[in-house]
Amino acid sequence: MMRKEHAKLNPKRLLQDNSVPLMFVVICLICLPLAGYSPSYLLNELVTRMGRNTFLILSLLIPIMAGMGLNFGMTLGAMAGEIALILVADWQIWGIPGIVLAMIVSIPISILLGVFCGNMLNKAKGREMITSYFISFFMNGVYQLVVLFMMGPIIPIMHATLKLPRGYGIRNTVSLLNMRQQLDNLLAINVGGVKIPVLTFLIIGVLCLVIIWFRRTKLGQDMRAVAQDMEVARDAGINVDRTRIIAIVMSTVMAGFGMIIYLQNLGNFPTYNAHVQIGTFSIAALLVGGASVEKASIGNAFLGVILFHMMFILAPETGTTITGDSMIGEYFRTFVSYGVITVALIMYETKKRMIKSQTGHLLALAQKEEEERAK
Amino acid sequence: MKSRRLIFQILLVLILIAIGGTMMVIGRGHTVYFDNKSLDYQGSTYASPYKIEIYQGSSAEGDALSKLYDGERASATQIGQKITVTLVITQEKGGDEADPVTYTIDLPYNMDGPIINLPAYLAGLPEEAYLSEFIPVITEDPDEEVPTGGDDMSLGDF
């Protein structure tokens, strides 16, 4: 207990553990006066983006809890959400009922994709992140096959506004005008010129409570045990493979819901690439919030959304102020997104190697002592 | 224990299906068109009034959805299987406005854009007389759209 408290109060350790969020705080503080945005504009943007993205980012927590690292396969859930939205848009179900129906329709698709992804990851234990990354690429091809060639002839699509002029396949952009911000506007309140989407935040709040509750359940404890040591967990009678599949399925279903919340806020989506980068950006946001490959909390998700999006909002205008070209800001935020993931992965590997070498060193010392004692 | 879990799972699926079904009914969206046009039906002519003010809802307060003069059309969007409108009718030019009357009109589930002919509806004619479907006409050959499957999305949209 004392040791834990000491570790918490150690400023060097504190700085080391929170280096990424601190770096982003510094970047935001530098950009803030240069961008010259009014506080109400900034807050409005930030609150909108929090409502839009937090659910997606929270969907990453369960696989981390199960020791499967950052789930790049959340893209699969995003695809399920998009397919559900295309179908609901074709059925002409509007407003909140349309959003609820899309969520329900996305569940079986997400489960199916999640089970597939989970099984694949079980075959690639220890290399989950890279595997899930490539599964998302592979599934993107399948998604394009379904949306481009099967929607119309096999999956009935009735409306010409959705179909390509050739008669099958979905157009480049799907309009969700009849669902646009329905979730955000219901129960929304205005505080000092800042629109707060209360219902969206309530849904996010419920998900947070579910995650907290889930950690305490038997399955949640099993996932943590699997994350600690798979062999020990197996010896303790935990079905490791099944537990890991459940973690991925849960994450995929949540990502599907998150994508629907995200897209209803935007009001339309590019059919063939809306999901492609969603995993990367969500993971980057989580890492910016101070999470790591093996540890992430709800607090990390919220802090990550705030810092990452603050940078997203400020960077283009700051780029324009400094260089006269807003594209500099765009490039900056692009390389930061990818950079932060790279740094997190390097830090994870370095830490793992350090622990391994320390253990090896301790073992060697113990062996040496034993040999001396034997002499 | 296993059978209890199975029952729970089946129940959950049934509940989700029920919610989905309910959403399909209550969330069905329509673009409703209102016509103020004369109509010939079974040998009788139903003349259109000079002006119809349409208010969406059960009162004639606030801004009117549209003021339809003879031969004009207005549209409104509606979620659900019924639309409630309040009509204020002026029969002749320079004449007095009648008291507002509220009507609830059933909308067929299978029609995206039902057209309601108001003179026929007000005359109490059957559904086949006052209801038809709006079918958009494509007048030009559509440009071929090339699906793009790039690997990025505007960062600003995230």
Side-chain angles (χ1 to χ4, degrees), chain A residues 84 88 97-109 257 260, chain B residues 13 15-21 23:
Chain A
V88 170
I99 295 166
V100 175
L101 185 63
M103 285 179 175
I104 292 171
V105 173
S106 77
I107 295 172
I109 309 170
F257 288 1
I260 291 165
Chain B
V13 171
I15 289 168
L16 285 176
I17 291 171
I19 295 171
M23 293 301 133

Side-chain angles (χ1 to χ4, degrees), chain A residues 159-180:
Chain A
H159 291 90
T161 48
L162 280 171
K163 271 191 285 193
L164 286 166
R166 69 183 183 198
Y168 61 91
I170 302 298
R171 284 178 187 270
N172 279 330
T173 306
V174 173
S175 169
L176 302 173
L177 203 65
N178 298 311
M179 289 181 205
R180 187 166 185 260

Side-chain angles (χ1 to χ4, degrees), chain A residues 18-143:
Chain A
N18 300 296
S19 54
V20 180
L22 282 170
M23 187 182 81
F24 269 79
V25 169
V26 171
I27 293 170
C28 289
L29 285 175
I30 293 168
C31 290
L32 205 60
L34 292 169
Y37 287 131
S38 69
S40 70
Y41 173 81
L42 256 180
L43 266 175
N44 234 326
E45 280 288 310
L46 206 58
V47 168
T48 306
R49 282 159 183 267
M50 275 181 80
R52 193 195 287 168
N53 295 289
T54 310
F55 202 103
L56 270 167
I57 294 161
L58 286 170
S59 75
L60 292 164
L61 297 186
I62 304 275
I64 293 174
M65 199 171 101
M68 301 174 84
L70 303 161
N71 181 23
F72 284 92
M74 70 172 284
T75 311
L76 274 59
M79 289 178 205
E82 281 170 32
I83 290 174
L85 280 172
I86 292 170
L87 294 174
V88 170
D90 187 49
W91 298 338
Q92 293 279 298
I93 312 298
W94 296 355
I96 299 282
I99 295 166
V100 175
L101 185 63
M103 285 179 175
I104 292 171
V105 173
S106 77
I107 295 172
I109 309 170
S110 294
I111 290 175
L112 214 72
L113 292 171
V115 169
F116 167 76
C117 185
N119 274 308
M120 290 292 119
L121 297 187
N122 277 342
K123 288 183 172 65
K125 286 190 187 100
R127 292 281 178 272
E128 284 91 352
M129 279 186 285
I130 186 73
T131 313
S132 63
Y133 191 58
F134 276 89
I135 287 173
S136 69
F137 276 122
F138 157 64
M139 268 302 159
N140 186 33
V142 177
Y143 170 85

